[in-house]
Amino acid sequence: MNPRLDSLLGNAVSAVQANAVKPLYALPTAVRRRLAGAPIQIDGNILDPEVQLLLRADSLLPSTTKSNVATARAHLRTACKLVAGNPRELHRVTELTVRGADGQLGARLYVPRDAGRGLLVFLHGGGWVVGDLDTHDCLCRALADDAGIRILSVDYRLAPEAPAPTAAEDAIAAFTWAVDHAEDLGVDPALVAVGGDSAGGNLAAVVAQQCVSRDLSRPALQVLLYPGLDLVHRRPSRDLFPEGFIITEHDIIWYRDHYTPDPGVRGDPLVSPILAPDLTGLAPTYIATGGFDPLRDDGNEYADALKAAGVAVTHICHTSLTHGFLNLLAVPGAVQEARAHLTNHLRATLR
């Protein structure tokens, strides 16, 4: 790389350290491509160059390998601010409480200006250990605004303070609360969906299953965004992308061990919903996976299993993207296209 590009990359890293990627993506496209480096191709997929640029800048920062819970939580809050861009202005954002499995949980209701009668109960990602209402605030604002639906983001209890299946039981209770209070929330109880990203996708899958097995009101839609669905078995994508693509093999094991300190619970469908013996009768499903995600094969396999069980499934594997791509709100190109695909589906299904 020549000195000019070295300098530009140094400025890019400074932008990342300053918690703002906007200057990075203000560079001319040709420069961004050169800074990103040679195309990365794995398993027949080519990494999106805009995401590759972000990963390259991030790789020059100090290591963020998981060590302790407090540090990991602080890092995710910082990382989400880095990549989120400016928060959308909505008609109303309200703090409230919802029912959990054992007491009240914090929650946040997002109401866009053109809100229809649909609601997505949203469960944030973060390995059941990190993440909160604020880490996913910009994402919820963008989804609500673009889809024209209300979103209820739930602050379920985290491990290790509350190990499995606490988060799952909180998610089930919060979803049923939303259905019971649909009119108060300004929505149609028949148009209440459940969804989440990563660990939140795991919890959303659990909610959809348990609503059937416990004879509760079923979601209008389950939205599973690059979900981690199996805490027992490994799939090939874990070996293809062990590090360098947002979430690492070390991260996956660290989250698993904190969420399930008792290995005996890992095979329970409340924890590993892909292991449920019967998937018939589940809600229509939207699954998004990333081609460069170590958890890719969980979502791909679950989509196939749902289809085999007769469930209506919309599954798209965004082959050029990594885990966590929907949180990269400030990144142009394929990330924006992926979010548009999701919000168009939400708008068509829940309004």
Side-chain angles (χ1 to χ4, degrees):
M1 188 172 289
N2 64 41
R4 166 70 173 160
L5 289 176
D6 284 340
S7 175
L8 286 171
L9 185 56
N11 291 338
V13 174
S14 297
V16 172
Q17 291 172 322
N19 297 331
V21 299
K22 187 175 180 180
L24 184 62
Y25 291 102
L27 295 170
T29 301
V31 174
R32 297 203 305 271
R33 295 295 186 270
R34 294 184 68 183
L35 287 175
I40 296 174
Q41 181 170 341
I42 300 176
D43 200 30
N45 298 326
I46 299 176
L47 183 64
D48 174 62
E50 306 291 8
V51 173
Q52 184 175 331
L53 175 59
L54 183 67
L55 294 177
R56 180 147 194 243
D58 185 68
S59 71
L60 299 178
L61 296 176
S63 172
T64 56
T65 299
K66 301 292 184 294
S67 56
N68 64 73
V69 170
T71 300
R73 289 173 178 168
H75 174 255
L76 183 64
R77 285 192 290 270
T78 299
C80 287
K81 290 179 181 178
L82 158 69
V83 297
N86 296 323
R88 301 280 188 94
E89 291 293 331
L90 301 181
H91 174 64
R92 186 172 70 253
V93 177
T94 305
E95 306 289 333
L96 68 162
T97 59
V98 302
R99 181 175 63 237
D102 182 22
Q104 298 296 301
L105 303 172
R108 189 173 291 166
L109 180 66
Y110 299 86
V111 183
R113 292 178 178 82
D114 66 339
R117 293 280 286 169
L119 171 74
L120 174 66
V121 177
F122 186 83
L123 305 162
H124 67 77
W128 312 277
V129 178
V130 303
D132 53 35
L133 299 182
D134 291 334
T135 60
H136 286 63
D137 179 73
C138 284
L139 175 59
C140 288
R141 287 172 179 268
L143 295 181
D145 195 27
D146 291 342
I149 62 170
R150 289 168 172 81
I151 290 183
L152 180 67
S153 184
V154 176
D155 202 17
Y156 59 86
R157 287 173 289 174
L158 299 175
E161 297 89 345
T166 302
E169 294 291 355
D170 277 350
I172 296 163
F175 173 78
T176 57
W177 180 93
V179 175
D180 292 343
H181 292 81
E183 292 298 330
D184 297 332
L185 297 171
V187 302
D188 182 343
L191 292 177
V192 179
V194 66
D197 65 317
S198 193
N202 169 291
L203 298 176
V206 170
V207 170
Q209 291 182 6
Q210 294 301 312
C211 284
V212 172
S213 62
R214 301 182 188 187
D215 197 25
L216 303 171
S217 296
R218 302 182 190 185
L221 176 71
Q222 61 171 325
V223 179
L224 313 181
L225 307 172
Y226 31 87
L229 300 167
D230 192 345
L231 277 70
V232 178
H233 305 100
R234 291 176 57 89
R235 289 171 178 78
S237 56
R238 291 265 298 270
D239 296 318
L240 286 168
F241 312 105
E243 60 182 22
F245 299 100
I246 303 293
I247 188 172
T248 68
E249 176 69 10
H250 177 275
D251 294 337
I252 293 170
I253 294 172
W254 190 86
Y255 288 136
R256 182 202 65 189
D257 290 350
H258 280 74
Y259 184 50
T260 56
D262 175 8
V265 307
R266 292 174 187 166
D268 190 323
L270 278 170
V271 175
S272 297
I274 201 170
L275 302 182
D278 184 6
L279 301 178
T280 58
L282 296 185
T285 305
Y286 181 97
I287 299 183
T289 53
F292 284 79
D293 184 356
L295 298 179
R296 179 194 68 189
D297 293 351
D298 281 32
N300 291 353
E301 183 178 315
Y302 195 54
D304 291 341
L306 289 170
K307 292 175 184 177
V311 177
V313 176
T314 298
H315 171 222
I316 179 167
C317 182
H318 299 280
T319 58
S320 69
L321 297 180
T322 63
H323 190 79
F325 58 79
L326 286 170
N327 277 95
L328 308 180
L329 292 159
V331 177
V335 168
Q336 305 298 325
E337 294 167 6
R339 191 176 74 251
H341 191 279
L342 168 60
T343 54
N344 287 341
H345 189 87
L346 293 174
R347 180 176 285 272
T349 306
L350 298 178
R351 280 180 61 89

